[in-house]
Amino acid sequence: RKEVEQDPGPFNVPEGATVAFNCTYSNSASQSFFWYRQDCRKEPKLLMSVYSSGNEDGRFTAQLNRASQYISLLIRDSKLSDSATYLCVVTGSSNTGKLIFGQGTTLQVKP
Amino acid sequence: EAGVTQFPSHSVIEKGQTVTLRCDPISGHDNLYWYRRVMGKEIKFLLHFVKESKQDESGMPNNRFLAERTGGTYSTLKVQPAELEDSGVYFCASSQWTGRIEQYFGPGTRLTVT
C-alpha cells in the first residue's frame, strides 16, 4: 500500500467550475501536511499547508481529518492557469523534514 | 533572492558510466534534500543534509549512489555505475529549518541512462 494515495485523474473541468481532490495517508503519526502544485516538467511548488482547523487561501480551501487520515483540496471558480498536477504531501512521524508524496492528481481546466 | 539551482538540467549517459549531479541551495539554508521521480511513480525522498552532515539517508536506493555536501554549501549526488533503472528526474530542495516548513525545490536534473 502506498503511503499517500491520490486519485490520479485527470480531472477535466470547465472554467469557473469547483473541483475537489482527496488524499489519504497511511501513517497516523504524520505531523505536517501540504498540497504542492507541479506544472508540466517543472519543480513542485508549495500551494498551501494543511491544518486540522482547515485553511483557506483565496479560491483554495484545504481540510485535514486526522481521525480518517484524509486530506482534501477544494478549488473554486477554476481558472485556466489552475491546470497542473496537485501533489498531496505529508511528513513522516519524526518530522525531520522528509516529505512523502502522493502520485499527484492532474487537473485540466478548459475554456 | 536566487532559488535552488541544479546542474545539469539534462544528462544522457550509457549504462555503466558515472554521473554527478550538483545542487546549490538557497543561501543560508542549512537543510538540503534530494528526491527522485522515476517515470510513472511518485516523487521519493533520497536523503537529507543538515549543513554538511547526513541527517537521514534512508531513501538512498543502494551503494551506487553517493551524496556529499562538503562545507555545508552545495551538494553533489554521484551515481556510479549508472543502471537503466536510475533514469528519472532528480530534485534538490532546501529549507532554512527542519520540520514543518516549506521546502523550496530546484528545477531538477533529468537523467536518462541508455
Side-chain angles (χ1 to χ4, degrees):
Chain A
R1 184 189 170 191
K2 292 184 180 182
E3 292 182 86
V4 179
E5 300 234 33
Q6 295 182 250
D7 179 348
F11 284 59
N12 295 299
V13 304
E15 267 186 296
T18 295
V19 61
F21 304 138
N22 305 314
C23 159
T24 57
Y25 60 96
S26 61
N27 186 351
S28 60
S30 291
Q31 298 191 25
S32 300
F33 309 88
F34 309 95
W35 283 100
Y36 274 72
R37 170 193 169 128
Q38 187 174 24
D39 293 286
C40 188
R41 292 184 170 259
K42 298 286 189 180
E43 69 273 22
K45 291 187 177 178
L46 181 66
L47 180 65
M48 57 200 304
S49 301
V50 189
Y51 306 110
S52 296
S53 54
N55 48 303
E56 188 174 310
D57 183 2
R59 298 181 293 108
F60 299 82
T61 301
Q63 293 276 355
L64 167 65
N65 184 322
R66 283 187 180 267
S68 303
Q69 294 176 214
Y70 172 93
I71 306 165
S72 65
L73 176 68
L74 184 76
I75 305 175
R76 290 180 299 279
D77 189 22
S78 299
K79 311 290 184 192
L80 296 176
S81 57
D82 294 335
S83 298
T85 296
Y86 291 82
L87 304 168
C88 179
V89 184
V90 309
T91 58
S93 52
S94 59
N95 213 32
T96 57
K98 168 184 174 180
L99 297 181
I100 303 165
F101 285 79
Q103 197 163 349
T105 299
T106 300
L107 172 66
Q108 185 68 45
V109 181
K110 299 191 180 298
Chain B
E1 180 184 274
V4 177
T5 58
Q6 292 187 246
F7 182 84
S9 57
H10 293 82
S11 180
V12 180
I13 61 171
E14 293 183 353
K15 177 182 170 181
Q17 289 186 321
T18 297
V19 64
T20 300
L21 314 181
R22 172 171 170 145
C23 168
D24 286 79
I26 293 171
S27 178
H29 281 194
D30 287 340
N31 293 274
L32 187 149
Y33 306 84
W34 284 99
Y35 295 87
R36 174 175 77 168
R37 185 169 201 163
V38 297
M39 192 183 302
K41 302 279 191 179
E42 64 274 17
I43 296 171
K44 289 223 165 192
F45 168 84
L46 296 177
L47 88 160
H48 170 205
F49 284 99
V50 178
K51 297 185 180 179
E52 66 274 11
S53 299
K54 290 177 186 174
Q55 182 80 6
D56 180 357
E57 51 184 330
S58 61
M60 294 289 263
N62 51 61
N63 60 9
R64 294 186 294 103
F65 289 74
L66 174 64
E68 294 180 323
R69 192 183 183 196
T70 307
T73 54
Y74 70 92
S75 174
T76 58
L77 179 65
K78 180 191 286 189
V79 185
Q80 178 182 32
E83 298 289 345
L84 298 179
E85 65 264 25
D86 300 333
S87 296
V89 182
Y90 290 77
F91 290 105
C92 175
S94 73
S95 69
Q96 190 168 16
W97 308 110
T98 304
R100 36 173 90 194
I101 181 106
E102 176 176 4
Q103 292 182 22
Y104 296 85
F105 281 76
T109 293
R110 187 171 296 274
L111 175 65
T112 302
V113 183
T114 62

